[in-house]
Amino acid sequence: MENGGRPSLGQVILLASTSAATALFYSIYRHKCRTAQTLKGAQNISLNDDLHSLLLDLPGRCVPYAVIEGVVKSVKDSLNSQFVENCKGVIQRLSLKEHKMVWNRTTHLWNDHEKIIHQRTNTVLFDLVPEYGIAGVSVRIVKPLDATELGLETVYEKFHPAVQSFTDVLGHYITGERPKGVQETEEMLKIGATVTGVGELVLDSKIIKLQPPKAGMLYYLSNLDFEGLVKKQESQVRLWRILTVVFGVATCVTLFFILRRQYRHHREKKRLRRLQREFQEAKARLEEEGGDEIRNPCVICLSSEKSCVFLECGHVCACFSCYQALPGPKQCPICRNSIARVVPLYNS
């Protein structure tokens, strides 16, 4: 059998890559699953007059993982949009992103490529207050930029196309890069926007704060409600589970074909050993019958009798020892056709 029954390089690479991808996707799936379960177990707390007294009665005056839904309100100053009038917020992110087409030498296609040229984020202190405004009840948001999901709204977006001369176009085709233009974007967390915050809720002196949680739990400031946030995390869990199953099946299929090839090689070796034993027995019987004259000499060594029938061509021209010595892939020395199998020749 070719390669001694060993798997080919392509099979080894495929098995290694699918196994690594399966392990990676399974690890991400487990992490996403734990994150979703932790989020579902967060304590939902209402912004009302009892919040202060509730935290006073708790150990450490904190809720390790709490859900707060409220309206954004600036503490002192606010941020004004650079492009939209009468648009105020507490978080402002300005971005410049370059868009270009890059030539892929492998697929021979132009692919879209994005690169952030410049990004700046401004923040001011802000609170979450009840939607209908209960006096004195507010939650101070600490380190909002550490949130995994920060619900910013795009308030301005403009694309500036690149102006190119004929010389530039020729140069771009030579270098393999074609600039499309620059996209200018402004995102803001507006004052009055409804936000769902998930984190550690603590009472620090007289100020109630929502801050990044401990023990590896994720911090959220999302424009979705809590139910929508949970559904979004669960959809990510399903995605990674599907990827894990798909690549796991690919790994199992690849392993099955490799093992089947090994089994066939083992079965072929057993068949060859059986044929060799039959040839040796036939040769021993001929020697017992006596006679030094070789009636049908092997066309290769001329010292042993022909004892093989090559299929599918049907030629009887060699002994078994010379058949084994033929280089692979084995071919009939008479007609040069491939030898599919060999059977012993019995002379009576």
Side-chain angles (χ1 to χ4, degrees):
M1 194 169 183
E2 293 182 14
N3 298 326
R6 295 188 300 272
S8 64
L9 179 61
Q11 289 176 329
V12 171
I13 294 175
L14 181 61
L15 181 62
S17 58
T18 53
S19 300
T22 302
L24 175 63
F25 292 153
Y26 180 71
S27 175
I28 297 174
Y29 160 71
R30 289 295 303 272
H31 174 70
K32 294 290 184 181
C33 191
R34 286 193 298 267
T35 300
Q37 291 297 327
T38 304
L39 180 62
K40 289 168 67 176
Q43 185 177 350
N44 205 326
I45 295 178
S46 301
L47 280 171
N48 52 41
D49 292 330
D50 298 331
L51 182 56
H52 192 275
S53 57
L54 173 67
L55 291 173
L56 280 174
D57 296 337
L58 292 175
R61 297 183 178 182
C62 77
V63 179
Y65 210 42
V67 180
I68 292 289
E69 295 186 20
V71 175
V72 174
K73 179 183 178 183
S74 62
V75 176
K76 294 181 181 179
D77 300 327
S78 61
L79 300 171
N80 295 315
S81 171
Q82 291 189 5
F83 304 99
V84 182
E85 293 183 1
N86 301 321
C87 182
K88 298 179 180 294
V90 292
I91 300 177
Q92 179 189 49
R93 178 172 292 164
L94 300 168
S95 304
L96 283 178
K97 187 182 294 184
E98 179 189 24
H99 291 262
K100 60 183 177 181
M101 303 291 288
V102 178
W103 177 254
N104 190 315
R105 300 183 186 278
T106 304
T107 61
H108 299 284
L109 295 172
W110 289 96
N111 299 325
D112 287 322
H113 181 75
E114 297 179 358
K115 179 183 177 183
I116 296 177
I117 303 173
H118 176 73
Q119 188 175 82
R120 186 177 81 249
T121 304
N122 304 316
T123 63
V124 295
L125 287 176
F126 67 96
D127 293 342
L128 290 184
V129 298
E131 187 175 357
Y132 299 105
I134 300 176
V137 180
S138 63
V139 174
R140 180 70 46 82
I141 302 299
V142 180
K143 297 182 180 179
L145 299 183
D146 290 350
T148 302
E149 183 170 332
L150 188 59
L152 301 180
E153 178 185 350
T154 302
V155 297
Y156 176 82
E157 188 173 32
K158 186 174 182 180
F159 184 77
H160 303 277
V163 179
Q164 304 176 26
S165 64
F166 180 74
T167 307
D168 294 333
V169 172
L170 290 179
H172 298 153
Y173 274 97
I174 294 173
T175 59
E177 293 187 1
R178 285 190 322 194
K180 295 172 63 178
V182 175
Q183 183 176 359
E184 191 174 16
T185 307
E186 182 183 24
E187 300 171 285
M188 295 189 73
L189 181 58
K190 292 181 180 180
I191 294 174
T194 302
V195 169
T196 301
V198 184
E200 184 182 36
L201 191 66
V202 297
L203 178 60
D204 186 6
S205 298
K206 295 182 180 181
I207 301 176
I208 302 174
K209 297 181 178 180
L210 185 71
Q211 60 189 18
K214 301 179 179 63
M217 295 180 287
L218 297 182
Y219 187 33
Y220 297 94
L221 290 174
S222 175
N223 52 8
L224 300 173
D225 59 10
F226 181 63
E227 184 179 351
L229 188 59
V230 170
K231 287 183 178 179
K232 183 176 181 180
Q233 297 302 316
E234 289 179 340
S235 66
Q236 292 182 7
V237 171
R238 286 193 295 270
L239 171 64
W240 290 109
R241 181 170 56 204
I242 291 171
L243 288 175
T244 302
V245 170
V246 169
F247 278 84
V249 170
T251 302
C252 293
V253 170
T254 305
L255 185 61
F256 168 75
F257 280 104
I258 291 176
L259 293 178
R260 188 179 70 166
R261 184 173 183 176
Q262 292 285 339
Y263 169 73
R264 287 182 172 179
H265 174 67
H266 176 70
R267 190 173 61 180
E268 180 71 10
K269 285 180 65 177
K270 287 182 63 176
R271 190 181 71 85
L272 289 177
R273 285 197 298 266
R274 178 175 56 80
L275 286 174
Q276 187 175 13
R277 186 170 60 252
E278 291 178 358
F279 288 142
Q280 289 175 350
E281 290 174 357
K283 185 177 180 181
R285 284 196 302 269
L286 289 174
E287 291 177 352
E288 288 177 0
E289 293 175 0
D292 296 332
E293 182 182 354
I294 301 176
R295 291 176 297 175
N296 295 309
C298 169
V299 299
I300 299 175
C301 66
L302 300 177
S303 60
S304 299
E305 285 197 4
K306 300 172 182 176
S307 57
C308 298
V309 180
F310 296 152
L311 300 177
E312 302 294 333
C313 66
H315 283 121
V316 181
C317 57
C319 62
F320 184 70
S321 298
C322 291
Y323 160 73
Q324 288 183 309
L326 289 175
K330 298 184 185 301
Q331 294 178 334
C332 174
I334 301 299
C335 63
R336 300 301 178 186
N337 286 327
S338 298
I339 300 174
R341 59 194 182 98
V342 61
V343 295
L345 176 67
Y346 298 101
N347 295 312
S348 58

